[in-house]
Amino acid sequence: MPAAAPPAPRFRRRRTQTLVAVVVSLAVAVALGAWSLHGRVAGGGALEQGDVAASGTPICAGRPARAPRELRGMWITTVNNIDWPSRPGLPAEKVRAEFRSWLDLAVRRNHNAVFVHVRPSGDALWPSRYAPWSQWLTGSRDGRDPGWDPMEFMVAEAHARNLEFHAWFNPYRGGQPATVGGPGPRLDQLAPTHPLRRHPDWVVTYPSADRPGSRLYFNPGVPEARKFVEDSMLEAVQRYDVDGVHFDDFFYPYPEAGQDFPDGAAFARYGRGFADKADWRRDNVNTLVREMSERIKAIKPWVKFGISPFGIWRNKRTDPAGSATAGLQSYDDIYADTRLWVREQWLDYVVPQLYWHIGFGKADYAKLLPWWAATVRGTRVQLYIGQADYRVGERGAWRDPAELDRQLALNQRHGVNGSVHFSAKQVRADKLGAVSRYSEAHYVGPALVPTMAQLPAAPPAAPEVTDVRRADGGVVLTWRGKGAASFAVYRVDAEVARLIGSARGGGWVDRAAPAGRSLSYCVSGLDRSGNEGRLSTPVSVAA
């Protein structure tokens, strides 16, 4: 047993006593503060709502509140019934049930947006003054009314799950083969109300690459046809609460060997002094994009406008400003000057379809990605990437279930704002477990959509949480909030308050709430453009 230590010198004893007194005082202050905090929360009084750390990070119950900002979506394709409806002519309730299941899949995968094909081929999935009902819904080209409004239903169901709804249009397609091996439609086979039957001078027929027969197109070179196509799409913007207007890469058709797009008569009449037909065609598409951008914002300034182009603008061997690729060039082959649309900032977002693997010789994902990141740099246009989930399981690199995982990791390194996956059926199929793999690595929790500085901003006031309690399904929170389009829910987890969910209404259930400890929550409101207001006063629930 060691000898007793000698007594501390007097100055050490005084210092020890002083330190003890300070510690006791601090403990009392903290306890009183905690009691005061509890009393004010329980009594409904206001704290300094939405406290913000010096770094600008909002604070919830003394912890920094963090929410990832990333667009995560999938395309839901209606043409040829690729995704939905599963086949044409189904009963309405079956069609609705299938659509709900796609949205539930999006929620399970922690997506926050869906891109739904609502004008696949000169038709419409809503009662339109400009276009007949889609055959992919009704099972018939005669334009018969299905007796309900799918667009109204789809937008409401998406918003009920706090998913953005981007209405996806093919502007110039007017009719196409309906079945494998079937011929392309003739004008007299279109619905009696189809605009191309009333305006045969707008029609161009061109072979179909993916199916036997030909497709019918609205001629992009005819100004009246372009205006009609714009009006038909803007009808949906005016009538429905869509969050975005979305095009893919179908403007002029992809070229077929030995076949020129037969628009010589339109060029002769509407050439506007262009000496080169290719430049004229590009200008036709540029005009559509610019006018749609202007007209959407004039109707609803908060609606986003985005395009998902073919992944190559031009090859570097053709143009020094192009990418280190050797594939089809959208600028030259389909007359889509995608780089111009970004530089002119006619778009809010661009989603290049980078459907090639890392290391592919003609179009290397790892080389195209930084080219697109550089293209949007310095603009307000956000970059999302179109991911090729449909290629998983193909020969070569796509046999590796980690390919998409690696691509999403590259996206993060290059500051990409999000991804859209093609298509819903492939997300559900989860071939080789690839979807589960990248979801666990990159979509482990929910995310808020990125904000856009060019959209209207009105961050709402802090909500008031009116109740928090444990129930069989988890922890139930309810709140009141004014001026918010949606709400974000945070739960304190160790040293951070993490985003755990979002909702459009006044309540949410934390079904993953741990049972063995007390929990603290905060709620914030977001405006229509995703701008977040101050956090609510924190609330707690016992273990």
Side-chain angles (χ1 to χ4, degrees), residues 335-522:
Y335 312 102
D337 193 351
T338 55
R339 181 170 174 262
L340 177 71
W341 307 340
V342 172
R343 291 163 71 89
E344 292 294 329
Q345 301 183 105
W346 295 333
L347 307 179
D348 294 305
Y349 65 84
V350 64
V351 195
Q353 298 172 25
L354 302 192
Y355 291 168
W356 305 285
H357 64 261
I358 296 170
F360 179 56
K362 291 185 177 181
D364 185 347
Y365 188 100
K367 294 179 179 178
L368 271 167
L369 179 63
W371 186 89
W372 279 102
T375 297
V376 303
R377 192 172 299 127
T379 75
R380 68 188 188 190
V381 181
Q382 291 187 352
L383 175 62
Y384 312 144
I385 300 299
Q387 311 289 165
D389 292 51
Y390 75 98
R391 300 205 63 183
V392 173
E394 292 181 3
R395 284 187 294 177
W398 292 104
R399 290 268 174 91
D400 183 353
E403 176 64 28
L404 287 173
D405 183 7
R406 286 192 292 266
Q407 292 186 5
L408 292 180
L410 269 181
N411 293 356
Q412 290 177 334
R413 288 202 287 275
H414 286 278
V416 173
N417 299 107
S419 290
V420 186
H421 298 268
F422 189 82
S423 66
K425 182 179 291 186
Q426 309 304 326
V427 174
R428 182 176 66 185
D430 193 14
K431 293 179 185 175
L432 307 181
V435 175
S436 293
R437 183 181 183 120
Y438 72 66
S439 296
E440 290 165 7
H442 303 283
Y443 299 168
V444 68
L448 303 177
V449 297
T451 58
M452 295 180 172
Q454 68 269 28
L455 301 186
E464 178 190 359
V465 180
T466 55
D467 187 33
V468 55
R469 56 187 169 80
R470 288 191 181 271
D472 290 342
V475 172
V476 179
L477 295 102
T478 55
W479 57 78
R480 288 194 295 263
K482 295 182 179 179
S486 62
F487 299 89
V489 182
Y490 296 84
R491 183 181 69 215
V492 174
D493 183 11
E495 298 303 313
V496 177
R498 300 186 187 280
L499 178 74
I500 57 168
S502 63
R504 294 248 171 162
W508 193 76
V509 180
D510 180 7
R511 301 189 187 281
R517 58 186 175 88
S518 61
L519 303 170
S520 296
Y521 295 87
C522 290

